[in-house]
Amino acid sequence: MPAAQRVLLRSVTMWLLLLSLLLLASCLRSAAAFPKGCYPSEEEGLKTFRCSNARLTEVPRDIPNDTNKLYLDSNRIPFLPRDAFRDLPLLLELDLSHNAIAGVESGAFRGLAEHLHSLDLSSNRLVSVSKDAFSNLKAKVNLSDNPWLCDCRLQELIRTVDLVAGSSGGIVCDSSAQEEHVGKAFLQVIADTDFCNAYKKTTDIAMLVTMFGWFAMVISYLVYYVRQNQEDARRHLEYLKSLPSKQRRSEESSTISTVV
């Protein structure tokens, strides 16, 4: 082989080796940026990021922003803060099942309303969540297998979200103001009980009791005030009777004018 060809072959080989090292370093840096147990992949043409069973205690921050499917299931995440997923505008599916989520802050899913079509929050520790946490969300939501408190707040939430077909039976009353509701499916309970109407009645009664209390206080004060003035006038008249007649008539006129 001519020397020129050998030099050219050696140069090409070196460049390929250098390029391979650069690509490897880039991949290692990307892998190092992900939490332990998390990795990207592609499934059915969709960019997927899996963090299942990764012992996470919060939503990772270094999720690729072109992710379409995000799996955070079977971790130890206790809370979803505001804007937890705001940098994932292309997210279609979000799996948060089998965590320890007990609280969802209003705005936690902000930025996902346009594209997200599946949200799994089953098998967590949700007791009560404001409907505002899911405002404008069009995704099918799974809320089953949580220790729900059956009340007006849950009733408003169920009316707000679009539940996954067949998941409503898994929304069971773990606690309730009425003991007979415990252990029953929530949709079965609200077929006979309107929690929000009962809450409104309770609120109205409380307002009436409060108003009656204030009215009674005002009446009591007026009665006390009138009696106090009458007592003062009586004592003053008795005092005037003990005075000489001319001075007494003058004082009586003054007293009567004051009372009137």
Side-chain angles (χ1 to χ4, degrees), residues 59 77-85 94 96 99-110 112 119-122 124-135 137 141-143 146 148 153 157 161:
V59 176
I77 300 171
F79 178 71
L80 297 180
R82 184 186 302 272
D83 296 323
F85 308 97
L94 176 57
L96 290 159
N99 272 280
I101 299 171
V104 180
E105 191 172 8
S106 179
F109 304 110
R110 186 160 51 189
L112 303 181
L119 172 61
D120 194 345
L121 282 165
S122 63
N124 276 283
R125 298 178 184 174
L126 295 171
V127 175
S128 182
V129 179
S130 170
K131 64 178 181 178
D132 296 334
F134 298 88
S135 60
L137 206 60
V141 183
N142 189 345
L143 297 172
N146 282 280
W148 290 109
R153 205 176 193 199
L157 174 62
V161 301

Side-chain angles (χ1 to χ4, degrees), residues 34-35 37-41 43 48-52:
F34 299 145
C38 299
Y39 61 92
S41 63
E43 300 176 7
T48 303
F49 194 74
R50 286 190 174 274
C51 288
S52 305

